[in-house]
Amino acid sequence: MKIFKFGGASVKDAEGVKNVLRVLQHEGFKNTLIVISAMGKMTNAIEKIADSYFYKKDDLQENIEFVRNYHSKIINELFEEKNHAIFIEIEMLFGQLSGFFIQNKSADYNFIYDQIVGFGELLSTKIVSAFLNENNIETNWIDVRDYIKTDSNYRDASVNWVLTSKKIASLNPNKLYITQGFLGSNSKGKTTTLGREGSDYTAAIFAYCLDAKSLTIWKDVEGVLNADPRFFSTTQLLQQISYNEAIEMAFYGASIIHPKTLKPLENKNIPLYVRSFYTIENKGTTVGKGHDLVPETPCFILKQNQILVSISALDFSFMVENNLSELFKILHNYKLKVNLIQNSALSFSVCIEDKFNNFKQFLIDLELKYQISYVENVSLFTIRHANKIAVSEIEQKGKVLLKQATKGTVQVVMQ
C-alpha cells in the first residue's frame, strides 16, 4: 500500500481539487490511502472561530460565514448538480459545529480549540472524496479519529501506538481511502490534534502501521530545498537525503517536513518522496536510508517570531546544574519550545517559541528568583553544512545577538 499526503496549498481552490484527480490519474491510485489537510489557509480561519468563541463572541458569526462561503465557492465550482449530496454533507458539518457551541461547558481553551479547528480537515476531505467519486475514482472516506488514538494533551497530543496500530490494521489494503490529517481522538472520543502542520505526521503514522511501500508528500515546491524560497532568493533542490539529515533539518525547523514524520518511516525503512503537485512528471526529493545521502551545499533554516531570553541568578552566583534543571522544568511547564541554548558561568540564554502564549506568565514565575532580560520578535537562522561564505551571508541580514557553532552547524539569532 502507498500513502499520499496533500497539504492545504494543494487543495486551496477548485483547481487544486481537480489537480488531485490529475495526480491520481498520473500516478495510479490502487491500494492507496490519501491524507488531506484543511483547504488553503482554512486552519488559520477556523482558529479565528475558536478565538472569537472563546474571547470575543461578537465576531463569531462573521468568522463562521467566511469559512462557509470559502467552501461553498469551491463546491459550486466543482459540482454542476446543485442538489448533489455534498451540499447537504457540508451543511451538516456546520450544524455539528453550531451544536458544539450550544453544548460545550468547558472553559479550557486548548480543548475548545481542538473541537473546533478539526472541521477544516473534515470539510476538505468530504469535498475531495465526493469530487473523485463523481469522476469515476471510487473512494472510501474514513474519519481519522476512529483510527488514530491519543492521550488528552489537547493541541499537541501523543499517539497511543498500540491502540492506533490495532485500529489501522482493520483497513482493507485493497481499497482507496481518504482521511484527514492533523486529528486524533482520546479515550473519551474527544477530538485531539497532533500539533500544527501535523498532517505529515498523520501520513507517517498510517505508513508505519500499514507497512506502506512509500509515502509521498505533494507540495507546492519541487521537493526538499536547501532554503525556504519565501525567504531566500536562491535555492537548490536536494534530490536525495538520508533520514538522519532530514530529521536534523526538521529538528531545526525546516518547514518542508514535520519533525515527527520521519522517525516512524526510518524505523521501517519506508521511503519518503517529496514532490511538486505542479510538475508531477518530476521526481522531487527522495528521503531514505544511507549515510551517504548528505547535502553537499549549505542548508538554511529560518524560524521567525522567536524570543531570546537571558537568565542569571539575582545574587550573581554561578548558573549550575540545579538552576538549569529548574529552568528546564519551568520551560516545560509553560510549553515553551526551546530552539537554542547557550550558557556561561553567570548566565543562561535560550531562544524560545511561544506558540501557546505563555511567555508573560513564564516571566512572572521566573522573576521571583532570577534576573531576566529578553528580546522579542527575533529570527533564528540555522545553517547546516555551514561554510564561511554561508555564515557571512546570514550575518549581513541584521544585527547578530547570539551566535553558536557546533560541528557542521551554525545558529545565529538576529534582530
Side-chain angles (χ1 to χ4, degrees):
M1 197 168 194
K2 59 187 178 183
I3 311 296
F4 285 168
K5 183 264 177 175
F6 292 91
S10 64
V11 290
K12 66 182 179 181
D13 52 26
E15 288 305 311
V17 176
K18 292 176 183 177
N19 193 51
V20 172
L21 172 65
R22 185 172 73 96
V23 170
L24 295 178
Q25 290 171 335
H26 182 271
E27 295 294 311
F29 48 83
K30 289 185 178 180
N31 310 331
T32 301
L33 185 142
I34 303 171
V35 175
I36 298 180
S37 301
M39 292 177 151
K41 300 295 184 181
M42 278 297 100
T43 297
N44 293 337
I46 298 175
E47 281 181 337
K48 289 184 178 181
I49 294 176
D51 288 346
S52 57
Y53 170 75
F54 193 79
Y55 297 112
K56 190 179 179 183
K57 289 186 170 53
D58 291 346
D59 298 336
L60 179 59
Q61 199 56 44
E62 179 183 346
N63 290 330
I64 293 173
E65 286 307 307
F66 176 81
V67 173
R68 186 196 303 271
N69 292 338
Y70 184 97
H71 291 91
S72 294
K73 181 177 185 296
I74 291 174
I75 58 177
N76 274 296
E77 291 177 11
L78 291 174
F79 299 92
E80 294 182 5
E81 189 64 49
K82 300 313 175 187
N83 63 353
H84 192 285
I86 188 61
F87 291 89
I88 298 173
E89 291 185 57
I90 295 304
E91 282 307 310
M92 287 177 64
L93 285 172
F94 280 100
Q96 291 174 24
L97 180 61
S98 298
F100 170 76
F101 295 143
I102 295 169
Q103 297 170 10
N104 175 58
K105 293 181 172 58
S106 175
D108 179 357
Y109 175 81
N110 292 332
F111 168 80
I112 291 169
Y113 176 97
D114 277 8
Q115 308 320 300
I116 294 174
V117 78
F119 276 90
E121 279 72 16
L122 296 171
L123 290 162
S124 66
T125 51
K126 284 287 187 181
I127 292 170
V128 174
S129 180
F131 180 74
L132 294 178
N133 287 334
E134 191 78 359
N135 286 273
N136 302 315
I137 296 182
E138 184 180 349
T139 66
N140 296 271
W141 184 94
I142 58 174
D143 190 330
V144 73
R145 296 171 295 183
D146 294 334
Y147 296 90
I148 294 184
K149 310 306 289 186
T150 73
D151 62 13
S152 297
N153 185 25
Y154 296 108
R155 297 185 69 189
D156 196 18
S158 295
V159 174
N160 180 331
W161 282 96
V162 173
L163 188 53
T164 296
S165 296
K166 183 178 179 180
K167 295 281 187 181
I168 292 177
S170 66
L171 294 173
N172 183 343
N174 298 315
K175 291 186 176 181
L176 171 62
Y177 292 101
I178 288 186
T179 196
Q180 308 77 38
F182 182 47
L183 308 179
S185 68
N186 62 16
S187 59
K188 296 181 180 179
K190 299 298 183 182
T191 304
T192 58
T193 59
L194 305 177
R196 284 299 301 266
E197 310 302 329
S199 292
D200 289 356
Y201 184 36
T202 301
I205 293 168
F206 277 101
Y208 178 90
C209 294
L210 291 169
D211 292 316
K213 178 181 177 182
S214 64
L215 164 59
T216 303
I217 297 177
W218 296 94
K219 307 284 288 188
D220 55 357
V221 292
E222 287 301 313
V224 177
L225 305 176
N226 75 319
D228 191 327
R230 295 174 298 177
F231 307 112
F232 293 86
S233 57
T234 303
T235 61
Q236 296 181 38
L237 174 67
L238 308 176
Q239 292 184 330
Q240 289 187 318
I241 56 175
S242 66
Y243 292 117
N244 287 344
E245 180 63 28
I247 288 170
E248 290 287 348
M249 292 176 68
F251 172 79
Y252 284 113
S255 60
I256 196 74
I257 305 172
H258 191 276
K260 295 179 181 177
T261 299
L262 294 152
K263 196 59 181 174
L265 302 178
E266 183 185 27
N267 287 352
K268 288 195 173 180
N269 197 22
I270 298 169
L272 168 65
Y273 304 113
V274 182
R275 297 173 61 185
S276 168
F277 55 75
Y278 291 127
T279 54
I280 58 179
E281 66 278 3
N282 294 342
K283 296 303 181 184
T285 300
T286 299
V287 182
K289 188 176 182 180
H291 295 292
D292 56 325
L293 305 179
V294 176
E296 296 179 357
T297 184
C299 297
F300 301 89
I301 300 159
L302 170 62
K303 292 183 76 71
Q304 296 181 305
N305 302 315
Q306 305 289 293
I307 307 171
L308 181 62
V309 186
S310 181
I311 305 167
S312 57
L314 291 173
D315 60 1
F316 301 103
S317 60
F318 289 158
M319 295 292 288
V320 291
E321 288 82 356
N322 64 314
N323 302 109
L324 299 180
S325 175
E326 180 181 41
L327 290 172
F328 278 114
K329 182 177 180 181
I330 297 172
L331 286 163
H332 172 76
N333 289 343
Y334 285 105
K335 297 183 178 180
L336 296 167
K337 187 178 186 303
V338 177
N339 292 315
L340 181 147
I341 300 165
Q342 190 174 91
N343 66 286
S344 65
L346 297 176
S347 68
F348 171 72
S349 295
V350 60
C351 188
I352 59 176
E353 193 171 327
D354 182 27
K355 65 179 180 178
F356 293 101
N357 298 315
N358 290 330
F359 180 67
K360 296 303 181 185
Q361 191 58 46
F362 164 78
L363 282 181
I364 293 170
D365 197 343
L366 229 59
E367 284 171 342
L368 298 173
K369 296 182 65 175
Y370 295 95
Q371 181 175 322
I372 314 292
S373 63
Y374 64 94
V375 183
E376 295 183 281
N377 199 29
V378 300
S379 296
L380 171 62
F381 290 88
T382 301
I383 312 168
R384 295 275 299 161
H385 316 291
N387 56 35
K388 289 183 179 180
I389 295 174
V391 174
S392 175
E393 178 185 335
I394 294 301
E395 290 180 340
Q396 293 174 25
K397 292 182 177 292
K399 179 182 178 182
V400 177
L401 301 179
L402 187 151
K403 179 178 174 182
Q404 181 168 273
T406 58
K407 184 179 179 181
T409 301
V410 175
Q411 290 188 283
V412 184
V413 180
M414 306 194 70
Q415 192 174 35

